[in-house]
Amino acid sequence: MPLHSKIVMGVFAALLSTTSIALGEDKVINFIQCGDSVDPTYPPFISTWEKANAGYKVNIEPVGWDQCQDKVTTLAAAGTPPALAYVGSRTLKQFASNDLIIPVAMSDADKAAYYPNIPETVTFEGKQWGVPVAFSTKSFYWNKDLFKQAGLDPEKPPTTWAEELADAKTIKEKTGIAGFGVVAKTYDNTMHQFLHWVYTNNGKVLDADGKIVLDSPENLEALTALKAMVPYAEEGPTAYEQNEVRAIFLDGKIAMIHASVGAVNKLKDAKFKWGVANLPLGPHAKGPGTLLITDSLAIFKGSGVEDKATDLAKFLTNPENQFVYEVSNGLTPLRPVPGVKDLVSKDPSWQPFLDGISFGGPEPLFLDYKGFQNTMIEMVQSVVTGKTEPAVALKKAAADLEQYK
């Protein structure tokens, strides 16, 4: 071969080699994380993963919660999906049914490693469609000073709906201050707050076969109990979502609320004595309950790096890394890892957020989760405002939900 040809071939081979390296380095895993900033626990985890997966680079993009879901959906529908996205588990059925995400199978051992009922928050048609990454449960908070002012035992929180209603009535009548915080604004957590009542009375929205069972005696009791609270709640509940109700509680102007563990930190400097306990139970309860809400890491179809995105999702959420993330963000732990006992030992107020898991229930998965959400909000608001009786509202909502399955 002539020298010139050898040089050309050598240059070509070198270029080919360099291009291969560049292509390897250019295998980017685009990761959309809902939130205003990158979670501080993620960069070191991602750095460790990148070192073990040469040729792959993770590009993490924070997107505010108000825009995040729409952005992920738009990108996926346009054929330019992120490889990985942090999403509310409520959206998984919609994504899966539109062939936008891939399943992430859990073995029996994987499922058993979580607290009960958590795998169900990402499961439908026998498959798991996301990796749980954040978990929220609710507990009962009460203002001990207001209990004492109303002549109630400040160290004895209500354990049943009947006791909760009686305490709310007494506080309102004796102190003039709202006894209980009712959440009824046109906002997603109005549905969530109602589901606390459902899951503390052994109720369901969907049965194991996916049939809508909202119109049940247990759920009628739940909606009726919520209606009974309205005269002793803050004025105009349809104006308040859960964080706004929590703010009124923190100001000492509501005696009792249902809230997540995040309220504990906000109460550290409270000017009144307070307590946390299990959510009060309805007449059909089998044990402590709560709504189990998870967010998940979803693996999107068509990115070309699905396998590596799945591996990254599992790495970020392995028991060790996940617990670090939970402690950093004040989230209910997803698994009963050894650190949970230390957490409860140092701060016993964590215990009620764990107690309700066994008898809790998942946020139901609907094909059109916004349709489901809006139907539930409309049902609650119609009852809270006195426009519709609970039995009528429940029956209408159950029928309306059929179109969103």
Side-chain angles (χ1 to χ4, degrees), residues 89-91 93-94 187-188 190-192 194-195 198-199 204-206 212-214 219 291 293 362-380 397-398 400-405:
S89 297
R90 69 183 72 90
T91 66
K93 184 173 182 178
Q94 185 180 58
Y187 211 70
D188 62 356
T190 287
M191 172 189 70
H192 295 154
F194 174 66
L195 290 174
V198 169
Y199 290 131
K204 294 179 181 178
V205 176
L206 299 172
I212 292 172
V213 290
L214 180 66
N219 293 342
L291 168 63
I293 298 181
E363 187 172 11
L365 295 182
F366 277 75
L367 183 60
D368 182 349
Y369 77 93
K370 287 188 176 179
F372 163 57
Q373 172 183 295
N374 291 338
T375 297
M376 296 292 280
I377 292 170
E378 181 183 347
M379 177 190 74
V380 170
D400 290 345
L401 287 182
E402 290 291 342
Q403 64 189 302
Y404 304 122
K405 285 199 298 184

Side-chain angles (χ1 to χ4, degrees), residues 144 146-156 166-168 170-171:
K144 294 183 178 183
L146 286 177
F147 266 56
K148 186 175 181 179
Q149 189 178 334
L152 300 169
D153 185 344
E155 302 303 324
K156 187 181 178 183
D167 288 350
T170 297
I171 290 165

